[in-house]
Amino acid sequence: MKATVLHRGQLRVEEVPDPVPGPGQVLVEVAHCGICGSDLHARHHGDATAELARAVGYDDFLRSEQHVVLGHEFSGRVLGYGPRTRRTWKEGQPLVALPILQVDGAPQLTGLAAPAPGGYAERVLVQEAFALPVPDDVPLDVAALTEPMAVALHAVRRGGVGRTDTAVVIGCGPIGLAVIAMLKASGRRTVVASDLSPRRRELALACGADVVVDPGVESPWEQPAATRGSIALPDLLTLGLSTTDRLRRVPLLPWWEVFKVANRLGATPGGPVVFECVGVPGIIDQIVMSAPARSRVVVVGVCMEADSFQPAMAINKELDLRFAFGYDPGEFAETLRLIADGRVDPRLLITGGVGLAGVDAAFAALGDPETHAKILVDPTLGGDEVVPA
Amino acid sequence: MKATVLHRGQLRVEEVPDPVPGPGQVLVEVAHCGICGSDLHARHHGDATAELARAVGYDDFLRSEQHVVLGHEFSGRVLGYGPRTRRTWKEGQPLVALPILQVDGAPQLTGLAAPAPGGYAERVLVQEAFALPVPDDVPLDVAALTEPMAVALHAVRRGGVGRTDTAVVIGCGPIGLAVIAMLKASGRRTVVASDLSPRRRELALACGADVVVDPGVESPWEQPAATRGSIALPDLLTLGLSTTDRLRRVPLLPWWEVFKVANRLGATPGGPVVFECVGVPGIIDQIVMSAPARSRVVVVGVCMEADSFQPAMAINKELDLRFAFGYDPGEFAETLRLIADGRVDPRLLITGGVGLAGVDAAFAALGDPETHAKILVDPTLGGDEVVPA
């Protein structure tokens, strides 16, 4: 079959061996496969990522000298089954799957490891136990976004965002946009989104952000009153105090009043929940220095280099840095349900499609935030250019 | 009155003006005042700390060119009252107080800011509303440790440590020891403590640690089975899974299995709760690189320099870094109750006493972990040497 193969940073369409489903596996015809920030990372930082993965016990993350088929955000249709399967679905059944494949008894990351080729290909293998049928009314391009939307759902859960918390999303790339959509889908009241790009801010509003901020011009920390909704500061304050008052036996003068941040969000004991969706060196320190006291910062953006920050400032403000990675199978399944029920609409994120021969051009196009957010690889498309959605 | 005054890094006993209680304030005769790591920091890093404090809205943190009386962990007896007080207690009543003083309407950090001189002195001012009477059967040297023990209680709460979680305490200085004592006081089952110093490990055992580890020789991450208690791995595993199973609708193969850490603690979805009580550059990165997946890391040690770490590793492991600072008034009051009820015994931490003239010698002595943990200043003591407890 044809597949787009990564080798030493180069992406080329090659003829590769047809995948043969092993025990418990399903052969799937790829309909759509999203290009993920992790794929862009893997192209240039694969060896560094592999070292980090090895340090936590996973030895097979892709390396630059290998030939690897990327792609872990895919949808497709059942073509056939391997041995020891329940053959749960008919041929042609649309499905999505967790990008995890059991190979020789060990779990492998589909599309990020040589033993489990990914979805930039005509066909891909999935584990029957990790696949989910796509409901009839969900188009397969939208279904392909189950995976990145699940990352966002997991990040929102990692943040423990309450319905009345203010959420601040820093960076409106595909994951930032997915986080915004998931926050609003789960009924969170005020979402402030920040991005340097006007196009990305426009997409953020489309995904449900209440306020968008150009961080080159204004501060994301001073926006909560200017919302489309009805939230006002006294409300936040009252809610914050009521949750902590039961701990108090002596009059109220907490430390965070002493070190109170000179802005309105900082006056709440709870602080906002911040989603770091940029992933470049220095952004964590910027957030530590500028975020209000008591912020919970969910780090979703993957920074592949060593990064520096001021721990003393994080202590002064009692920040949480909660690092988020992936999702669990329940979150993946819940994401598909949220999409099927129309509670989130990932179509807003899709800005283009491309054939296998255009993956290299698509990687380049994704460097410009004014043009693209999520590009889907469609193996049936010809040509090597990105087609706008 | 006499007080030990810090000026340009020098500590000298000087005759200073007698404090006069203002509105809502109580004049207190100092019985004991603990020397805190923050005091050691303030001596040499005061200006840097002042800059960080200013950045979060507190302008009066001490600076090296000022003359400041340190000391914020004190106990004492009521000498008199200022205007607009309720005169709640008789003269001579033993008490402790939050080290926060209202000066000209603004809260000030007692013992860390020039407007609110601290407890390295014959007398100190406290706010009547922030003072608590010390029960008769609690000696005043022990009561002086209410403040650092409250820091530990707050850190334990920040960690959200469940009774069945394994806690790993990195660094057994006074705060590390206090964290160990508070963990055991609140019924936490397995506490692993790590310190390079044999004396500190001995103190850690005395404070209730189940296992102590010399990190130069062995790993703190591989000790949970060798406990004095009865916890074993299947127990941890079962507990971990039961809390997440309700989220699952498809068979279990979570990401943390893929990136499983090659040790036993790492096999639990919950990971241990780690208390970073060292506060030197590099320790956060060491923990990020070596801690099991899903660890919650409570950062209690104050590192005053910029620090560097690998965010990608923190993401791979889904770590939490929860920065902890101080306590709230309810936690301070609860700490005094825990001491009065005999549920924690801070006396274990007290290794020496010293008069006002010996503060400089005591600061030097605290540099050697083999000799001292907590030294209490007692203004009635003569001489300039530290007296072992």
Side-chain angles (χ1 to χ4, degrees):
Chain A
M1 68 166 183
K2 287 201 185 334
T4 307
V5 175
L6 175 68
H7 175 60
R8 297 195 188 284
Q10 301 295 313
L11 289 158
R12 284 203 197 87
V13 179
E14 294 180 10
E15 193 66 31
V16 300
D18 282 340
V20 178
Q25 295 177 355
V26 186
L27 179 65
V28 173
E29 181 186 47
V30 175
H32 297 274
C33 182
I35 296 174
C36 171
S38 303
D39 299 335
L40 304 185
H41 272 300
R43 181 180 194 174
H44 296 296
H45 302 282
D47 292 326
T49 311
E51 284 308 309
L52 289 172
R54 181 187 293 276
V56 290
Y58 181 61
D59 292 335
D60 292 312
F61 197 93
L62 65 88
R63 292 178 180 274
S64 58
E65 82 272 11
Q66 295 175 320
H67 294 73
V68 180
V69 181
L70 296 177
H72 56 275
E73 306 176 351
F74 50 79
S75 60
R77 290 186 181 83
V78 173
L79 283 179
Y81 290 89
R84 297 204 291 283
T85 46
R86 284 166 291 172
R87 298 174 175 265
T88 314
W89 307 288
K90 292 187 301 200
E91 197 177 315
Q93 166 69 45
L95 53 72
V96 291
L98 290 158
I100 296 176
L101 199 69
Q102 291 276 27
V103 182
D104 299 329
Q108 297 286 359
L109 295 174
T110 302
L112 290 167
Y120 297 179
E122 293 180 293
R123 295 185 279 286
V124 69
L125 296 177
V126 306
Q127 212 65 29
E128 187 178 39
F130 309 151
L132 292 170
V134 174
D136 287 343
D137 50 351
V138 179
L140 278 177
D141 55 349
V142 168
L145 273 79
T146 305
E147 207 273 353
M149 297 303 290
V151 170
L153 176 63
H154 179 69
V156 169
R157 289 207 170 139
R158 281 283 283 151
V161 196
R163 283 177 193 277
T164 54
D165 284 327
T166 294
V168 180
V169 179
I170 308 289
C172 300
I175 288 296
L177 294 171
V179 166
I180 294 166
M182 277 296 179
L183 284 164
K184 297 310 285 188
S186 45
R188 272 62 190 184
R189 273 210 276 182
T190 307
V191 177
V192 180
S194 166
D195 201 294
L196 288 163
S197 151
R199 167 78 172 132
R200 290 283 167 89
R201 294 199 297 276
E202 197 179 280
L203 284 169
L205 283 173
C207 287
D210 298 287
V211 187
V212 292
V213 173
D214 177 352
V217 177
E218 49 189 343
S219 162
W221 315 118
E222 289 165 7
Q223 302 302 320
T227 63
R228 290 202 295 233
S230 61
I231 199 163
L233 188 65
D235 185 12
L236 278 172
L237 262 178
T238 310
L239 284 158
L241 295 186
S242 66
T243 58
T244 50
D245 264 353
R246 61 192 161 77
L247 283 177
R248 298 181 199 295
R249 313 287 155 85
V250 294
L252 181 75
L253 193 120
W255 288 95
W256 59 80
E257 279 295 324
V258 178
F259 279 123
K260 189 162 76 179
V261 179
N263 68 39
R264 288 167 300 166
L265 275 178
T268 75
V273 185
V274 182
F275 293 87
E276 194 291 90
C277 302
V278 178
V280 299
I283 193 83
I284 290 175
D285 191 50
Q286 279 181 37
I287 291 173
V288 165
M289 296 306 282
S290 64
R294 301 252 153 175
S295 296
R296 270 163 289 163
V297 183
V298 182
V299 181
V300 198
V302 180
C303 169
M304 286 310 302
E305 298 158 57
D307 202 2
S308 178
F309 76 117
Q310 289 279 354
M313 186 60 108
I315 286 177
N316 272 0
K317 295 182 176 179
E318 285 230 312
L319 301 182
D320 269 18
L321 296 181
R322 301 186 181 183
F323 296 87
F325 182 63
Y327 40 78
D328 71 28
E331 290 165 338
F332 190 90
E334 183 165 339
T335 301
L336 183 58
R337 277 196 301 276
L338 288 168
I339 294 171
D341 295 348
R343 292 183 58 197
V344 283
D345 184 5
R347 183 171 296 287
L348 295 163
L349 276 67
I350 304 171
T351 54
V354 75
L356 290 174
V359 171
D360 190 56
F363 272 48
L366 286 166
D368 176 12
E370 292 308 309
T371 318
H372 282 292
K374 179 63 72 182
I375 297 174
L376 296 179
V377 179
D378 174 350
T380 65
L381 287 180
D384 58 6
E385 285 179 17
V386 180
V387 183
Chain B
M1 69 165 183
K2 287 200 185 339
T4 307
V5 175
L6 175 68
H7 174 61
R8 297 197 189 282
Q10 300 297 311
L11 290 158
R12 285 202 197 87
V13 179
E14 294 180 12
E15 194 66 31
V16 300
D18 282 341
V20 178
Q25 294 177 356
V26 187
L27 179 65
V28 172
E29 180 186 47
V30 175
H32 297 274
C33 182
I35 297 174
C36 172
S38 304
D39 299 335
L40 305 185
H41 271 301
R43 181 181 194 174
H44 297 296
H45 301 282
D47 292 327
T49 311
E51 285 308 309
L52 289 172
R54 181 188 294 274
V56 289
Y58 181 61
D59 292 334
D60 292 313
F61 197 92
L62 65 87
R63 292 177 179 273
S64 58
E65 82 273 10
Q66 295 176 319
H67 294 74
V68 180
V69 181
L70 297 177
H72 57 275
E73 305 176 351
F74 50 79
S75 61
R77 290 185 181 83
V78 173
L79 282 180
Y81 290 90
R84 297 204 291 283
T85 45
R86 286 166 290 172
R87 297 174 176 265
T88 314
W89 308 287
K90 291 186 302 199
E91 198 177 313
Q93 166 70 45
L95 52 73
V96 291
L98 290 158
I100 295 176
L101 199 68
Q102 291 275 28
V103 181
D104 300 330
Q108 298 286 358
L109 295 175
T110 303
L112 289 167
Y120 297 179
E122 294 180 295
R123 294 186 280 287
V124 70
L125 296 177
V126 306
Q127 213 65 29
E128 187 178 37
F130 308 150
L132 293 168
V134 175
D136 287 342
D137 51 352
V138 179
L140 278 176
D141 56 348
V142 168
L145 273 79
T146 305
E147 208 273 353
M149 298 302 292
V151 170
L153 176 63
H154 179 70
V156 169
R157 289 208 171 138
R158 280 284 283 151
V161 196
R163 283 177 192 277
T164 54
D165 284 327
T166 294
V168 180
V169 179
I170 308 290
C172 299
I175 289 297
L177 294 171
V179 165
I180 294 166
M182 277 298 180
L183 284 163
K184 298 310 286 190
S186 46
R188 271 63 190 182
R189 273 211 275 183
T190 306
V191 177
V192 181
S194 165
D195 201 293
L196 289 164
S197 152
R199 167 78 172 134
R200 290 283 168 88
R201 294 199 298 275
E202 197 178 281
L203 285 169
L205 283 173
C207 287
D210 298 287
V211 187
V212 292
V213 173
D214 177 352
V217 177
E218 49 188 343
S219 162
W221 315 118
E222 290 167 5
Q223 302 303 320
T227 62
R228 289 202 297 232
S230 61
I231 199 161
L233 188 65
D235 185 12
L236 278 172
L237 261 177
T238 310
L239 285 158
L241 296 186
S242 65
T243 59
T244 51
D245 263 353
R246 62 193 160 76
L247 284 176
R248 300 182 197 293
R249 313 288 155 88
V250 294
L252 181 74
L253 193 120
W255 287 96
W256 59 79
E257 280 294 324
V258 179
F259 279 125
K260 190 163 76 179
V261 180
N263 68 38
R264 288 168 298 163
L265 274 178
T268 75
V273 185
V274 183
F275 293 87
E276 193 291 88
C277 302
V278 179
V280 300
I283 193 83
I284 290 175
D285 192 50
Q286 279 181 36
I287 291 173
V288 166
M289 296 306 282
S290 63
R294 302 250 152 175
S295 297
R296 272 163 288 162
V297 183
V298 182
V299 182
V300 198
V302 180
C303 169
M304 288 309 304
E305 298 156 60
D307 203 2
S308 179
F309 77 116
Q310 289 279 355
M313 185 58 105
I315 286 177
N316 271 0
K317 295 182 177 179
E318 285 231 312
L319 301 183
D320 269 20
L321 296 182
R322 301 187 182 183
F323 296 88
F325 182 63
Y327 40 80
D328 70 28
E331 290 165 338
F332 190 90
E334 183 165 339
T335 301
L336 182 59
R337 278 197 300 276
L338 288 169
I339 294 171
D341 296 348
R343 291 181 59 197
V344 283
D345 184 5
R347 182 171 297 287
L348 295 163
L349 276 67
I350 304 172
T351 55
V354 76
L356 291 174
V359 172
D360 190 57
F363 274 47
L366 287 166
D368 176 12
E370 290 309 309
T371 318
H372 282 292
K374 180 62 74 181
I375 297 174
L376 296 180
V377 178
D378 174 350
T380 66
L381 287 179
D384 57 6
E385 285 178 17
V386 180
V387 183

